[in-house]
Amino acid sequence: MSNYVKLATDAGDQYLTKLAEIQENFLTASAAFAARFASATPAIEMPAAFAAFPSVQEVSEASFAFAQKLLKQQKSFAEKVLSSPAPATK
């Protein structure tokens, strides 16, 4: 049996660790940038007509919920395909 799963998992974990670090750096820099201009930026009141639209958080939540369902379905499909008998070769 190959050690592919271990190698792929290790590589994926390294990638995700580095990605998390980059994301944290971005958030830190964004907060510092926003703080620098907070006093110069006037507060804006949203028009009442915008209340009918979903918030950015709602759109994000719905999108990621769908992506999770899609990935779960695709995994199930791939497992079924891979467990089906292979066609006979000549």
Side-chain angles (χ1 to χ4, degrees):
M1 181 178 236
S2 78
N3 61 347
Y4 172 78
V5 172
K6 181 182 180 334
L7 292 172
T9 300
D10 290 347
D13 289 346
Q14 288 176 10
Y15 172 81
L16 293 174
T17 298
K18 200 47 101 170
L19 179 62
E21 183 182 319
I22 291 167
Q23 290 169 333
E24 284 302 316
N25 290 340
F26 175 83
L27 292 174
T28 301
S30 295
F33 182 81
R36 179 167 170 81
F37 296 102
S39 62
T41 307
I44 299 173
E45 188 176 320
M46 286 293 176
F50 283 23
F53 293 103
S55 69
V56 174
Q57 290 81 4
E58 290 172 319
V59 171
S60 178
E61 180 61 33
S63 298
F64 280 101
F66 173 76
Q68 286 177 321
K69 289 177 185 177
L70 176 63
L71 188 58
K72 183 178 177 183
Q73 183 174 329
Q74 288 297 93
K75 180 183 178 192
S76 174
F77 174 72
E79 288 170 345
K80 289 174 184 174
V81 165
L82 296 173
S83 68
S84 64
T89 57
K90 292 183 180 183

